[in-house]
Amino acid sequence: MQTYNAPLRDMKFVLNELHDFSKLTSIPAFSGVDADLVETVLEEAAKFTTRVLLPLNPVGDTEGCRLENGVVHTPTGFKEAYKQFCDGGWSSVSAPPEYGGQGLPESVGMLISEMICSTNLSFGLYPGLTAGAMTALRKYGSDELKSFYLPKMIDGTWSASMCLTEAQCGTDLGLVRTKAVPQGDDSYAVTGSKIFISAGEHDLTENIIHLVLARLPDAPEGIKGISLFLVPKFLPNEDGSLGARNPVVCTALEHKMGIKGSATCQISFDEAKGWLVGAPHKGMQAMFAMMNAERLGVGIQGLGITEVSYQSAVSYAKERLQGRALSGPKYPKLAADPIIVHPDVRRMLMTMRVNAEGCRALGTWVANALDIAEHTEDKAQRRDAEDFVALLTPVVKAMFTDMGSESANLAVQTYGGHGYIHDHGVEQFARDARITMIYEGTNGVQALDLVGRKLPAHMGRSLRGLFHPIADFVAEHKEHPLFSKMIEGLERALGALQLSTAHVAQKGMADPEEAGAAATDYLRLMGLVSLAYLWARTVTIAVSKLGAAEGPDKAFYTAKLSSARFFYDRILPESAALYLKIKSGKKSLMELPEDLF
Amino acid sequence: MQTYNAPLRDMKFVLNELHDFSKLTSIPAFSGVDADLVETVLEEAAKFTTRVLLPLNPVGDTEGCRLENGVVHTPTGFKEAYKQFCDGGWSSVSAPPEYGGQGLPESVGMLISEMICSTNLSFGLYPGLTAGAMTALRKYGSDELKSFYLPKMIDGTWSASMCLTEAQCGTDLGLVRTKAVPQGDDSYAVTGSKIFISAGEHDLTENIIHLVLARLPDAPEGIKGISLFLVPKFLPNEDGSLGARNPVVCTALEHKMGIKGSATCQISFDEAKGWLVGAPHKGMQAMFAMMNAERLGVGIQGLGITEVSYQSAVSYAKERLQGRALSGPKYPKLAADPIIVHPDVRRMLMTMRVNAEGCRALGTWVANALDIAEHTEDKAQRRDAEDFVALLTPVVKAMFTDMGSESANLAVQTYGGHGYIHDHGVEQFARDARITMIYEGTNGVQALDLVGRKLPAHMGRSLRGLFHPIADFVAEHKEHPLFSKMIEGLERALGALQLSTAHVAQKGMADPEEAGAAATDYLRLMGLVSLAYLWARTVTIAVSKLGAAEGPDKAFYTAKLSSARFFYDRILPESAALYLKIKSGKKSLMELPEDLF
């Protein structure tokens, strides 16, 4: 069974104890926000997602979407749920107040997103795409476009899609063929075909605002000739009411492995009216603005799937009676022991648990930095925060989704044969999770982004924002009798990461294929070291609080120590293998001639 | 696109060059078999599987099976393909000649199975289940049952199913509730409900022979009270024609994540007439006979999926144009380079390739031992071979299927968004492969079987059959200037395995949970060391042959060197992490109290 209770206690922990939420609330933009308000918001989000979205998750998977006469019908209940979503204010949580948003930090928005992704990833894609499009529009749209479109996107009346991919291009958007021809006024006629468009057409909102990559007639070839256009499904009148239908048509729905409740559309533009967003030929810039927001968002999808996989597996492992504990019957009165008594089942459960807790801790760290980057008035602080977000974005996207897919598959494995059967709903997690490793840039592309763009940027400046706090922490706690063994492990992993960084920088400078050959393993190593640091900090916090803690708090901190131990014993050792793989270089990947494959 | 060309050259290599096929043909049972005959058989199997089974693979996935009025309809084309399968003699390849089989070695049968699983895993399950049931019947059935049933199972006229699992029990068959009541003659009335029964009902054969686990009225509780029964769908007359319909009914088809062309049935027995196979209450013995054969078979399914995933990904990576090589355009005349130029894409392709080649080498080694165990007249040789098969069976089952699932997912990843779409057929591989890690004993159960049963058996005698050849090989090649670095890697990995073995043996003796905590990582480590040994041997063979080799042979051996390098550079390093995880013991798995999960 798909089982979910929002992990509110852990969310409070990462916001307030592991990271310093008060640092955020000292920023004027968040002056009205405090921990109590956030707690209330999260509790309400927990209720909404668990009561409304979770029951619709298997419905969406079983029914899928239907295309009839150009109209896409979402699964039963999605439309009503979307209305409740908007009425409850969930579409506007961290949107800017000047356009009607509630202006809560992204750190809070991220945790709400996590709940949405745990309970109904397919549903979450509809508002998720709108949020990504809003980022691009806010950063690059004209004031006119912003003041006209953003309020209705923020209150959820209108939704958005991102129309990038075409049949011949996904990763390489320089190959985009869609055309935009100026119409003499400030508008353009957009013509072309797009595929894989999430939320490209549906029945949840009265209008859909497409952000479309296309080429102007005078565009240079390749990636430097791409511009971004806003193309509404219905052309709005000046008062915001809907005017003529723009020739933007859903020609087909993709048949996918999962996220079946999400409408993934082929969209055809036939001289559709649109407006330029940002400067001509600078569409990739705007695209990356929304893409980066989306990449963090996709990482959080991985976290959401991890959490619900964990909880669903735990509930089964406690119920399913099969065999006896290796150490002798634990429940002699039952026909058999529940399978949670088995070390190998616990290995799977702990992996999911520690994946979820670790990703939540790291995701919140990055979301905090994002809030600082967007709202602080301190320039140096902003620069550091921007660096940090840029560096960690590919790590969050790729590692979290790898772990999401791993966790969903571990949930299936915990259920055994019953996990392979549709009825229990866990195989849906595995199918849904699978796309997160692919869209918004495959995880391989994330790794290339990390080693090719993020590492060399500003002469490695951003790395210091990650390495320094870890090195400082190591120095501070190295001699502590309680922590020394753990710190040793952290120091070793950090050392491996630093050596790997030097390898990538040196070898990669002379031969970019060397950087490419290291990329995926390097990204994972950076992710593991970041997690190791956060787990070490978690341990010091838990130890300091355990003395005075009672009841559920005591249990919480005790469990944190076990999670941390598991991470250090069973997950961090991977870093030894990663380092060896990175060091081995490109030869074994590149030497086989193409025709011998 | 699902792409497949049977890897005949590599099959010849593992049979004749890596392993010594002539050692098999010196056994009287195989006196009529030679390398030329085998080559012809494999070529014919390649034609049949590629031409007949491969095109039906997506058909089975899309259509699935239908249950109407108790009749299960297999997908379009399966019935005709099954007829061709039998007419071509593919059902009887390695079946015993005394019952009409062709008596070819299992080593050959395994390679044919690999082709079947590459081209159509769902189809392969129908004859696959028959083969497993025949093993049990041959070993434990009375002469009367054998001479009556085996010939028709071998020629494919009748098929079989294995009815073990019930809703409340899968891993723990001691919980079986199905009953068998003696009828005064030599028959029994079998009553109960079974689930997850592959090929339990279908329209491919005129009769289905169910092997059913059930309890006799006087059965002791638990696993020691289980007996095995043969229950035909139609009660045959003495002349083999079909008589009365036995009350064995398919009540539902399971809705599964994959293998949709395979009918997975819920089967209800209502006082169905059956006959005892083997001694009363000794059903588990017979069950394990078929289970062990099935476990090797499932491992080969993993290999089959790995190979077809690799080939399908390669064909896409050579075609799909996206971006440019990091070292500068490789195909400047094309709009972009094919993605195979990218190191990270090659990392995925090489992983699949090396998984396939390695598993084929190891699978053939085990199949050779199986042939020796079954047919040699030399007692000591037989004992050693039996030991070896018993030890490696869980490794083959679990590691091959882990690699199959990994490879299928890498194929999806290579395709990017197109991999997530049904039309290309690679997401089917990922869904199909997922069950192989679960059925016939989850991979966690395999690992427990290895550390709990196989390691301690005969005081560790069987380990010597694996460790000694590796240690001898290391000693022999250690000083060789060409191989010393590779041998160092092999020696280090073997050392890690030996230390891990000591850990499991010592800690596990005092506390079986310690063995359980190490099990999965230990199994993987043993698998990797076995592969490392076979890759090292492959290198020595390739080097010795390269001097005189020309044309395709030269390319073949050159590619082998690249594959081996990839294994040592990029896969074997995992063993370092595995050793650390194993050594960390059970604490981090077991300390968290059940109620804190």
Side-chain angles (χ1 to χ4, degrees):
Chain A
M1 281 295 299
Q2 299 186 344
T3 305
Y4 186 70
N5 286 295
L8 292 169
R9 180 63 184 90
D10 198 45
M11 290 178 168
K12 267 175 63 180
F13 172 76
V14 295
L15 275 181
N16 302 315
E17 300 174 64
L18 182 61
H19 304 298
D20 185 0
F21 194 66
S22 66
K23 221 158 120 187
L24 277 191
T25 52
S26 69
I27 296 175
F30 301 126
S31 60
V33 181
D34 63 21
D36 284 348
L37 171 67
V38 169
E39 195 170 336
T40 310
V41 170
L42 292 178
E43 279 167 8
E44 289 304 312
K47 283 182 205 157
F48 172 73
T49 52
T50 312
R51 290 177 192 169
V52 177
L53 298 187
L54 185 62
L56 293 178
N57 196 34
V59 175
D61 187 55
T62 305
E63 283 188 19
C65 297
R66 265 179 314 120
L67 171 65
E68 278 172 12
N69 307 318
V71 178
V72 172
H73 302 270
T74 54
T76 306
F78 272 44
K79 196 166 177 172
E80 296 71 21
Y82 183 77
K83 190 172 178 308
Q84 284 181 265
F85 179 85
C86 298
D87 291 348
W90 300 115
S91 63
S92 61
V93 172
S94 45
E98 61 265 42
Y99 299 109
Q102 299 170 54
L104 284 170
E106 277 298 337
S107 315
V108 178
M110 185 208 93
L111 295 173
I112 298 172
S113 285
E114 183 201 317
M115 296 186 210
I116 295 170
C117 297
S118 282
T119 50
N120 200 323
L121 180 58
S122 288
F123 178 90
L125 285 172
Y126 296 98
L129 267 293
T130 308
M134 285 199 291
T135 309
L137 206 51
R138 270 172 56 201
K139 291 212 174 151
Y140 294 95
S142 65
D143 288 343
E144 210 183 330
L145 287 177
K146 286 196 279 193
S147 59
F148 191 79
Y149 285 96
L150 284 177
K152 279 186 188 281
M153 290 163 80
I154 286 173
D155 71 15
T157 314
W158 295 351
S159 66
S161 88
M162 289 164 38
C163 299
L164 318 179
T165 307
E166 300 179 7
Q168 77 289 354
C169 63
T171 299
D172 185 358
L173 291 168
L175 301 175
V176 155
R177 289 186 196 138
T178 296
K179 286 192 175 130
V181 179
Q183 298 300 292
D185 56 2
D186 62 344
S187 77
Y188 296 79
V190 176
T191 302
S193 292
K194 299 284 180 176
I195 62 168
F196 300 169
I197 308 306
S198 297
E201 177 59 44
H202 56 78
D203 56 4
L204 301 184
T205 54
E206 59 174 46
N207 203 4
I208 301 173
I209 313 306
H210 304 282
L211 291 190
V212 188
L213 289 185
R215 280 180 190 287
L216 290 165
D218 62 342
E221 269 198 24
I223 205 74
K224 290 180 178 162
I226 306 288
S227 308
L228 184 68
F229 298 88
L230 182 154
V231 183
K233 173 177 167 186
F234 286 98
L235 293 166
N237 300 314
E238 271 181 33
D239 64 355
S241 64
L242 299 185
R245 178 73 159 86
N246 219 353
V248 181
V249 181
C250 172
T251 52
L253 288 174
E254 311 284 4
H255 297 102
K256 309 183 302 291
M257 185 183 186
I259 51 165
K260 297 191 186 223
S262 164
T264 310
C265 306
Q266 297 179 19
I267 303 271
S268 168
F269 298 85
D270 184 14
E271 304 201 342
K273 198 182 186 76
W275 290 270
L276 190 64
V277 177
H281 317 317
K282 298 286 183 199
M284 291 307 288
Q285 228 177 15
M287 200 279 293
F288 266 111
M290 64 182 164
M291 194 69 122
N292 278 331
E294 286 298 304
R295 285 178 174 180
L296 287 173
V298 174
I300 301 311
Q301 294 174 11
L303 165 56
I305 291 276
T306 299
E307 179 65 38
V308 73
S309 297
Y310 167 68
Q311 292 194 32
S312 302
V314 165
S315 73
Y316 189 75
K318 286 181 173 179
E319 261 170 30
R320 174 74 172 170
L321 307 180
Q322 218 58 189
R324 289 295 181 186
L326 296 169
S327 52
K330 289 254 164 82
Y331 295 83
K333 283 182 189 159
L334 298 177
D337 286 338
I339 60 173
I340 198 172
V341 303
H342 293 292
D344 198 64
V345 170
R346 280 169 166 259
R347 176 186 60 79
M348 298 193 283
L349 299 178
M350 288 301 292
T351 303
M352 292 181 255
R353 177 189 179 95
V354 168
N355 281 350
E357 292 179 7
C359 290
R360 187 173 300 117
L362 179 54
T364 308
W365 193 15
V366 177
N368 272 4
L370 190 64
D371 284 321
I372 293 169
E374 303 243 315
H375 296 288
T376 187
E377 285 151 14
D378 179 320
K379 258 193 170 173
Q381 231 187 18
R382 180 161 66 226
R383 196 198 66 181
D384 289 351
E386 281 170 353
D387 281 356
F388 187 77
V389 172
L391 182 71
L392 269 301
T393 293
V395 176
V396 167
K397 197 284 180 177
M399 185 175 71
F400 287 22
T401 58
D402 283 350
M403 287 182 166
S405 204
E406 179 197 20
S407 300
N409 276 293
L410 286 174
V412 171
Q413 197 69 16
T414 307
Y415 275 72
H418 295 273
Y420 198 67
I421 301 298
H422 182 69
D423 318 29
H424 292 270
V426 291
E427 59 91 34
Q428 183 192 344
F429 298 147
R431 287 184 292 102
D432 285 356
R434 191 62 191 81
I435 189 59
T436 63
M437 298 163 75
I438 295 172
Y439 60 16
E440 307 304 341
T442 64
N443 287 359
V445 166
Q446 303 301 319
L448 272 187
D449 177 48
L450 177 64
V451 301
R453 288 205 198 98
K454 303 301 170 62
L455 284 197
H458 316 299
M459 310 284 290
R461 188 180 74 199
S462 52
L463 274 178
R464 292 196 290 276
L466 178 67
F467 288 179
H468 283 187
I470 304 180
D472 292 349
F473 181 88
V474 166
E476 195 183 329
H477 293 84
K478 212 171 168 173
E479 310 294 335
H480 195 294
L482 264 179
F483 308 136
S484 61
K485 211 187 140 213
M486 178 180 72
I487 299 295
E488 210 177 277
L490 175 58
E491 196 175 14
R492 200 178 312 118
L494 177 63
L497 177 60
Q498 287 168 326
L499 288 172
S500 300
T501 306
H503 168 92
V504 169
Q506 283 157 17
K507 294 258 183 175
M509 187 101 68
D511 178 357
E513 285 182 349
E514 284 287 357
T520 287
D521 293 322
Y522 180 83
L523 181 147
R524 178 81 171 189
L525 181 56
M526 179 176 281
L528 290 182
V529 170
S530 308
L531 292 176
Y533 165 61
L534 293 170
W535 277 117
R537 288 200 33 221
T538 298
V539 166
T540 60
I541 296 166
V543 165
S544 77
K545 298 215 172 175
L546 257 175
E550 285 178 359
D553 264 1
K554 188 167 178 182
F556 179 80
Y557 294 118
T558 307
K560 277 289 178 204
L561 296 182
S562 297
S563 292
R565 189 191 311 282
F566 185 85
F567 179 84
Y568 271 85
D569 278 4
R570 295 278 174 163
I571 296 180
L572 190 59
E574 251 187 65
S575 56
L578 292 167
Y579 175 61
L580 293 171
K581 292 184 200 186
I582 291 166
K583 245 188 24 181
S584 74
K586 78 171 200 180
K587 186 168 183 183
S588 68
L589 277 59
M590 303 308 287
E591 73 176 351
L592 188 67
E594 222 172 281
D595 60 338
L596 295 191
F597 274 88
Chain B
M1 282 294 298
Q2 300 186 342
T3 306
Y4 186 70
N5 286 296
L8 291 170
R9 179 65 184 88
D10 197 46
M11 289 178 168
K12 267 173 65 179
F13 172 76
V14 295
L15 275 181
N16 302 315
E17 300 173 65
L18 182 62
H19 305 297
D20 184 1
F21 193 67
S22 67
K23 221 159 122 187
L24 278 191
T25 51
S26 69
I27 296 176
F30 301 126
S31 59
V33 181
D34 63 23
D36 284 347
L37 171 67
V38 169
E39 195 170 335
T40 309
V41 170
L42 292 178
E43 278 166 9
E44 289 305 310
K47 283 182 205 158
F48 171 73
T49 52
T50 312
R51 291 178 192 169
V52 178
L53 298 186
L54 185 63
L56 293 178
N57 196 33
V59 176
D61 187 54
T62 306
E63 284 188 19
C65 296
R66 266 179 313 120
L67 172 64
E68 278 172 13
N69 308 318
V71 178
V72 172
H73 302 271
T74 53
T76 306
F78 271 46
K79 197 166 175 172
E80 295 71 22
Y82 184 76
K83 191 174 177 306
Q84 283 181 266
F85 179 84
C86 299
D87 290 349
W90 301 114
S91 64
S92 61
V93 173
S94 44
E98 62 265 43
Y99 299 108
Q102 299 170 55
L104 284 171
E106 276 299 337
S107 315
V108 177
M110 186 207 93
L111 295 173
I112 298 172
S113 285
E114 183 201 318
M115 297 185 209
I116 296 170
C117 297
S118 282
T119 51
N120 200 324
L121 181 57
S122 288
F123 178 91
L125 285 171
Y126 296 98
L129 268 292
T130 308
M134 285 198 292
T135 309
L137 205 53
R138 270 173 56 201
K139 289 210 174 150
Y140 294 94
S142 65
D143 289 341
E144 210 183 329
L145 286 178
K146 285 196 282 193
S147 59
F148 191 80
Y149 285 96
L150 284 177
K152 279 183 188 283
M153 291 162 81
I154 286 172
D155 71 16
T157 314
W158 296 349
S159 67
S161 88
M162 289 165 36
C163 300
L164 319 177
T165 307
E166 300 178 8
Q168 77 288 353
C169 63
T171 299
D172 184 358
L173 290 168
L175 303 174
V176 155
R177 290 186 196 139
T178 297
K179 285 188 178 135
V181 180
Q183 298 299 292
D185 55 2
D186 61 346
S187 78
Y188 296 80
V190 176
T191 302
S193 292
K194 298 284 180 176
I195 63 169
F196 300 168
I197 308 306
S198 298
E201 177 59 46
H202 56 78
D203 55 5
L204 301 184
T205 54
E206 60 174 44
N207 203 4
I208 301 172
I209 312 305
H210 303 283
L211 291 190
V212 188
L213 289 185
R215 281 180 190 289
L216 290 166
D218 61 343
E221 270 198 23
I223 204 76
K224 289 179 178 162
I226 307 288
S227 308
L228 184 69
F229 298 88
L230 182 154
V231 183
K233 174 177 168 187
F234 286 98
L235 294 165
N237 300 314
E238 272 181 32
D239 64 354
S241 64
L242 299 184
R245 179 74 159 83
N246 218 352
V248 180
V249 181
C250 173
T251 52
L253 287 175
E254 311 284 3
H255 297 102
K256 308 182 302 290
M257 183 181 187
I259 53 165
K260 297 193 186 220
S262 164
T264 310
C265 307
Q266 297 180 18
I267 302 271
S268 168
F269 297 86
D270 184 14
E271 303 201 343
K273 197 180 186 78
W275 291 269
L276 190 65
V277 177
H281 317 318
K282 298 287 183 197
M284 291 307 288
Q285 229 176 14
M287 200 278 294
F288 267 111
M290 62 183 165
M291 194 69 122
N292 278 330
E294 286 298 305
R295 284 177 175 180
L296 287 173
V298 173
I300 300 311
Q301 294 174 11
L303 165 57
I305 291 275
T306 298
E307 178 66 36
V308 74
S309 297
Y310 167 68
Q311 292 194 32
S312 302
V314 165
S315 74
Y316 189 74
K318 287 182 173 178
E319 260 169 32
R320 174 74 171 170
L321 307 180
Q322 217 61 187
R324 290 294 181 187
L326 296 169
S327 53
K330 289 255 165 80
Y331 296 83
K333 286 183 189 158
L334 298 177
D337 287 338
I339 60 173
I340 197 171
V341 303
H342 293 291
D344 198 63
V345 171
R346 280 170 167 259
R347 176 187 60 80
M348 298 192 283
L349 298 178
M350 287 301 292
T351 303
M352 292 181 255
R353 177 189 179 95
V354 168
N355 281 350
E357 292 179 7
C359 291
R360 188 173 300 119
L362 178 53
T364 308
W365 193 14
V366 177
N368 272 3
L370 190 64
D371 283 322
I372 293 169
E374 302 241 317
H375 295 289
T376 186
E377 282 151 14
D378 179 320
K379 258 192 171 173
Q381 231 187 19
R382 179 161 67 226
R383 196 198 64 182
D384 289 349
E386 280 171 353
D387 281 356
F388 187 77
V389 172
L391 182 71
L392 269 301
T393 293
V395 176
V396 167
K397 197 281 180 181
M399 184 174 73
F400 287 22
T401 58
D402 283 348
M403 287 181 167
S405 204
E406 179 197 19
S407 301
N409 276 293
L410 286 173
V412 171
Q413 197 69 17
T414 306
Y415 275 72
H418 295 273
Y420 198 66
I421 301 298
H422 182 69
D423 318 28
H424 292 271
V426 290
E427 59 92 34
Q428 183 191 345
F429 298 147
R431 288 184 289 102
D432 285 356
R434 191 63 191 80
I435 188 59
T436 63
M437 299 163 75
I438 296 172
Y439 60 17
E440 307 303 339
T442 65
N443 287 0
V445 166
Q446 303 302 320
L448 273 186
D449 177 48
L450 177 63
V451 301
R453 287 204 198 98
K454 303 300 171 62
L455 285 196
H458 316 299
M459 310 283 291
R461 189 180 73 200
S462 52
L463 275 178
R464 292 195 290 275
L466 178 66
F467 288 179
H468 283 187
I470 304 180
D472 292 350
F473 181 86
V474 166
E476 196 183 329
H477 293 85
K478 212 172 170 173
E479 310 296 334
H480 195 293
L482 266 180
F483 308 136
S484 61
K485 209 186 140 216
M486 177 180 74
I487 299 295
E488 210 177 276
L490 175 59
E491 196 175 15
R492 199 179 312 116
L494 178 63
L497 178 61
Q498 286 168 326
L499 288 172
S500 299
T501 307
H503 169 93
V504 170
Q506 283 157 18
K507 293 257 182 175
M509 187 100 69
D511 178 357
E513 285 181 349
E514 284 287 358
T520 286
D521 294 322
Y522 180 83
L523 181 147
R524 178 81 171 190
L525 182 56
M526 179 176 283
L528 290 182
V529 170
S530 308
L531 292 176
Y533 165 61
L534 293 170
W535 277 116
R537 288 200 32 219
T538 297
V539 167
T540 60
I541 295 167
V543 165
S544 77
K545 298 215 172 177
L546 257 175
E550 284 177 1
D553 263 0
K554 189 167 177 182
F556 178 80
Y557 295 118
T558 306
K560 278 288 177 203
L561 296 182
S562 297
S563 293
R565 188 190 313 280
F566 185 85
F567 179 84
Y568 272 85
D569 277 4
R570 295 279 174 163
I571 296 180
L572 191 59
E574 252 188 63
S575 56
L578 292 168
Y579 175 60
L580 292 170
K581 293 185 200 185
I582 291 166
K583 246 189 25 184
S584 74
K586 78 171 199 179
K587 187 168 183 183
S588 68
L589 278 58
M590 303 309 287
E591 73 176 351
L592 188 68
E594 222 172 279
D595 60 338
L596 295 191
F597 273 88

